[in-house]
Amino acid sequence: MNTPRRVRPLRLLTIVPAGALLLPIGLALDAGCSAVCDDDGFAWQQDPECVNAISATETEATTESDSETQPSTTDGSDSGSTTVGPVSTNTTGDPEEWCEDADMDGFGDPDNCTPVLPGDTPPPGTVNDDTDCDDGNPNTFPGAAPNDDPNACMNDDDDDDWGDKDPGDPDVVPGTDCLDTDAAIHPGLIEDDPEACVKDSDMDGHGDDDPPPGVDPGDDCDDDDPNTFTGSAPLDDPNACMTDADDDDYGDDMPTNPDVTPGTDCDDNSPYTFKGAAPLDDPEACMKDEDDDDYGDTLVPDGVTPGTDCVDTNPSINPGDSVLMTIPDVTGEVSSVDPLTGALTPFAQIDVMGVPGWFIESFAYDPIERIGYASLGGDNRLVTFDYCNGGPPTLLMPIDLSICGITFDRDGNLYGIDNEIDVLVQLDKDDGSILNMVPVTVDGAPLNVGGCGMTLDCGSENGLLFSDSNNDAIYRITPDGVATPIASLPGETFGRGLAYDPTTKEAYSCSGITLLQVALDNSNNFMQLPDLSGVVNDLEFGPSCN
């Protein structure tokens, strides 16, 4: 702070010759010099007593003037020493109590306080507070347990905001925490009984049914698993203690804790999998139904019952709206096939006017784009169409291959078999071009493929299948071209068309008017079905357009 400079009074000086002593007018001298100093100003200079008096008076005036402009340096030591620490500049007002804070919790001991005047420095280790009821415990102070009382002086050793029920100190207010050494134990954990002091280590809102002494028991049979408690699986049993990790209200049928009641959920990691998930397949079976169309997925993990839905990500494609079908001739008709009677019934029409080489070798249905694909035997190219909505097909680019069978895998990749150079090809479904091509081999030797068909076994990870009329067999084939026979029927007429039936887990295969139903389990079992009412070279399951 800048102190305003003090203005001294104006002094009138008498002008005297050079070398003479100047004396301020009105300077007070003692009585012995007064007469001399009032004369012409020269005689008094010769009087020693008068000179000494003048010198003493000027020294006093100088000292007084300097003291008005210099800060005090007095701190109780000798004159001229420097003050150490803050100095009170305001000693007015009542003193305040500063109390020792030994546990450094911000609250002071009321029994160990010192009055401090405003502006003075408080003693070290003190706070301007006198409300600590236990200055030896940093967890005890007013407001330590706000969930009990935001103002009371309580003890909260486990820092869960609930006060110790038995603090052991009469000056400390008891709280409601029945075990103040464990933050997982306190009231307010159970919604239905907020006053119960329970243990809830897994924070599932249910108290441990076997807690430490002094703690209220709850209904949680596994307090280390938040998915396990009484009523977790109400669709199995609302009163049983079960595990429901996928939150579908069905209990795990194989819980890891032997004290937990088993439920009926055969895959407790999938909310789409539980008993009755696919009632149109089986209302009692534990199935997976991701698209919620009431049909179960065909490809499921162990322990889950397979269903009949080959496309469980699209509710509009399911067995309820699927038929065995063929595109039998050059007219563009699309017909359903009745395996029980052999009847072919047209139900859709493709406008093939002006399409060169319209002769279908093989038909497939894209489960992702929901459109049909076919290989044209007369033009060596692929064609796409939406047969349910009619309209003309779209011709894709020509390829120098004779594709006798095509199908899609579960990921929507398009594959085909060529029966001239005997290769498996992956095709670009946008333009029909070849993406990859590998030889077809069986036991390491090339396979001479005749008339063929392709389909997808949607219940298998390696689901690509093809039939071969030249070798009277059905094969499972990997994307690298390795084929393994799964049905061999020497002398039988079949193989030019192939379709997988997810309801029977068997295949239909045709050639001309002959239709067989063939097991795919290496048993070589088959059933001769009634002859077809027309010549058929391709088969597949697809939407019926209803």
Side-chain angles (χ1 to χ4, degrees):
M1 173 175 163
N2 295 324
T3 303
R5 183 175 180 181
R6 183 168 181 171
V7 180
R8 297 184 180 184
L10 180 66
R11 296 178 179 179
L12 300 179
L13 302 179
T14 303
I15 300 175
V16 297
L21 178 65
L22 300 179
L23 180 65
I25 296 176
L27 182 65
L29 303 176
D30 55 16
C33 296
S34 60
V36 178
C37 293
D38 286 337
D39 64 10
D40 58 7
F42 294 99
W44 59 268
Q45 297 181 22
Q46 311 303 318
D47 187 339
E49 292 183 2
C50 192
V51 171
N52 290 336
I54 293 173
S55 298
T57 302
E58 288 185 340
T59 300
E60 180 181 353
T62 301
T63 302
E64 178 183 357
S65 174
D66 289 344
S67 67
E68 293 174 351
T69 59
Q70 297 297 324
S72 172
T73 58
T74 303
D75 63 355
S77 61
D78 293 340
S79 176
S81 65
T82 302
T83 299
V84 179
V87 177
S88 173
T89 59
N90 178 17
T91 58
T92 63
D94 296 332
E96 295 182 342
E97 293 292 319
W98 284 75
C99 304
E100 183 178 357
D101 183 16
D103 57 11
M104 301 191 66
D105 59 6
F107 296 85
D109 182 355
D111 297 328
N112 193 359
C113 300
T114 302
V116 178
L117 288 171
D120 285 354
T121 302
T126 63
V127 292
N128 189 208
D129 179 89
D130 63 353
T131 62
D132 201 345
C133 52
D134 185 352
D135 200 40
N137 187 346
N139 300 314
T140 305
F141 52 85
N147 288 336
D148 273 326
D149 189 325
N151 301 309
C153 194
M154 293 184 173
N155 179 57
D156 180 20
D157 282 338
D158 57 13
D159 198 29
D160 60 4
D161 292 339
W162 297 87
D164 191 344
K165 186 177 182 178
D166 186 16
D169 186 336
D171 294 330
V172 179
V173 178
T176 60
D177 195 343
C178 53
L179 188 60
D180 199 39
T181 57
D182 188 338
I185 299 176
H186 56 76
L189 292 171
I190 301 178
E191 183 177 353
D192 295 338
D193 190 2
E195 295 183 358
C197 187
V198 301
K199 178 183 179 183
D200 186 13
S201 298
D202 55 15
M203 300 299 290
D204 58 7
H206 294 263
D208 191 348
D209 64 358
D210 187 21
V215 179
D216 296 333
D219 60 1
D220 196 342
C221 56
D222 187 349
D223 201 39
D224 293 323
D225 183 358
N227 301 310
T228 303
F229 51 86
T230 298
S232 67
L235 296 180
D236 271 332
D237 188 333
N239 300 311
C241 193
M242 294 183 173
T243 300
D244 180 20
D246 56 13
D247 200 29
D248 59 6
D249 291 339
Y250 288 90
D252 191 342
D253 64 354
M254 296 183 65
T256 57
N257 188 335
D259 296 330
V260 175
T261 303
T264 62
D265 196 342
C266 55
D267 185 358
D268 201 37
N269 294 314
S270 169
Y272 309 112
T273 306
F274 49 85
K275 182 181 179 180
L280 295 180
D281 275 332
D282 189 335
E284 297 298 323
C286 188
M287 292 184 172
K288 176 187 175 186
D289 179 21
E290 184 173 346
D291 58 11
D292 199 29
D293 60 4
D294 292 338
Y295 289 92
D297 196 342
T298 57
L299 185 61
V300 290
D302 292 341
V304 181
T305 303
T308 61
D309 194 348
C310 287
V311 187
D312 198 39
T313 56
N314 189 335
S316 65
I317 303 177
N318 58 64
D321 184 37
S322 181
V323 295
L324 181 63
M325 53 187 292
T326 184
I327 306 176
D329 53 30
V330 297
T331 66
E333 286 184 347
V334 180
S335 298
S336 63
V337 178
D338 185 350
L340 298 179
T341 65
L344 304 180
T345 305
F347 69 91
Q349 179 70 48
I350 303 171
D351 182 4
V352 298
M353 293 295 294
V355 179
W358 183 262
F359 179 80
I360 302 297
E361 287 281 0
S362 183
F363 164 68
Y365 190 80
D366 183 353
I368 296 177
E369 301 296 334
R370 287 182 53 83
I371 58 175
Y373 278 72
S375 61
L376 297 182
D379 200 25
N380 285 352
R381 71 168 74 206
L382 299 183
V383 61
T384 66
F385 44 82
D386 182 356
Y387 61 84
C388 286
N389 294 318
T394 300
L395 295 174
L396 303 185
M397 63 181 297
I399 53 176
D400 191 20
L401 291 175
S402 178
I403 303 297
C404 60
I406 59 171
T407 195
F408 286 90
D409 66 9
R410 291 183 66 94
D411 297 324
N413 299 309
L414 180 59
Y415 288 89
I417 295 284
D418 172 275
N419 62 352
E420 289 190 352
I421 60 174
D422 305 320
V423 293
L424 173 71
V425 295
Q426 184 179 351
L427 300 161
D428 188 323
K429 67 178 185 180
D430 293 326
D431 61 16
S433 61
I434 299 171
L435 298 177
N436 190 37
M437 183 167 57
V438 293
V440 177
T441 62
V442 175
D443 294 330
L447 179 68
N448 182 17
V449 181
C452 76
M454 283 198 82
T455 193
L456 175 69
D457 174 0
C458 58
S460 172
E461 288 286 356
N462 179 24
L464 293 178
L465 305 179
F466 77 96
S467 57
D468 177 9
S469 63
N470 188 48
N471 293 283
D472 299 332
I474 298 175
Y475 300 87
R476 193 177 299 277
I477 187 169
T478 63
D480 58 1
V482 176
T484 303
I486 55 176
S488 180
L489 308 176
E492 299 297 329
T493 302
F494 71 101
R496 300 190 65 88
L498 185 67
Y500 176 78
D501 184 356
T503 62
T504 64
K505 310 298 188 289
E506 295 183 337
Y508 293 104
S509 186
C510 65
S511 181
I513 62 172
T514 302
L515 182 64
L516 301 183
Q517 185 174 356
V518 184
L520 303 175
D521 57 1
N522 295 296
S523 67
N524 298 326
N525 293 329
F526 72 97
M527 180 183 296
Q528 180 81 47
L529 299 175
D531 286 346
L532 301 172
S533 60
V535 175
V536 173
N537 291 312
D538 63 281
L539 289 173
E540 190 55 282
F541 280 93
S544 65
C545 304
N546 293 327

